[in-house]
């Protein structure tokens, strides 16, 4: 009976992580769609690489946009994987993990002191 309950808990945890991942991906897509930097990049930089003599301008912009999206996907995926591996390595070492937690505490204390002694304008 206890093994069945443990199995149900593990399945529930997996479903919860999958749901959290879905929500995170949806938030990421929503934030990127509303990000003005991407629009400004496409409007300011990509037209420099479009040549009217090379054919349809919308098709050229579409190809350049797809190239940009693919390279961004690759770079962000590699950065995410690297960050997760670094996080795991740092937190698996107890001495480093303690120092990170201590440093976070000091940082929050300094921020709190700055806020407490700051003047309102």
């Amino acid at each position: 009976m206890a093994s069945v309950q443990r199995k149900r808990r593990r399945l529930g945890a997996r479903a919860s992580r999958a749901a959290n991942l879905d929500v995170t991906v949806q938030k990421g897509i929503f934030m990127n769609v509303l990000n003005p930097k991407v629009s400004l990049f496409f409007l300011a930089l990509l037209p420099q690489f479009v040549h009217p003599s090379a054919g349809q301008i919308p098709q050229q912009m579409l190809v350049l946009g797809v190239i940009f999206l693919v390279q961004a996907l690759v770079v962000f995926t590699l950065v995410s994987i690297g960050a997760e591996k670094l996080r795991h390595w740092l937190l698996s070492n107890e001495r480093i993990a303690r120092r990170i937690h201590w440093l976070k505490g000091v940082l929050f204390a300094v921020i709190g002191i700055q806020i407490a002694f700051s003047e309102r304008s």
Side-chain angles (χ1 to χ4, degrees), residues 9-55:
R9 274 189 239 128
R10 276 186 273 160
L11 290 175
R14 283 187 197 149
S16 177
R17 277 183 286 201
N20 287 341
L21 181 62
D22 289 345
V23 169
T24 303
V25 168
Q26 288 173 356
K27 283 182 183 179
I29 290 170
F30 185 70
M31 287 172 40
N32 277 315
V33 166
L34 296 178
N35 186 353
K37 291 183 290 185
V38 175
S39 300
L40 290 174
F41 171 80
F42 279 101
L43 291 173
L45 192 64
L46 285 185
Q48 298 175 33
F49 300 101
V50 173
H51 300 288
S53 61

Side-chain angles (χ1 to χ4, degrees), residues 49-63:
F49 300 101
V50 173
H51 300 288
S53 61
Q56 297 289 329
I57 292 174
Q59 288 176 339
Q60 291 181 52
M61 289 289 286
L62 184 64
V63 168

Side-chain angles (χ1 to χ4, degrees), residues 3 10 17 25 27-28 35 42 56 58 75 85 87 90 106-107 111 114-115:
S3 67
R10 276 186 273 160
R17 277 183 286 201
V25 168
K27 283 182 183 179
N35 186 353
F42 279 101
Q56 297 289 329
V75 168
K85 289 189 182 293
R87 176 193 164 278
L90 288 173
V106 169
L107 184 63
I111 291 171
Q114 284 182 332
I115 290 171

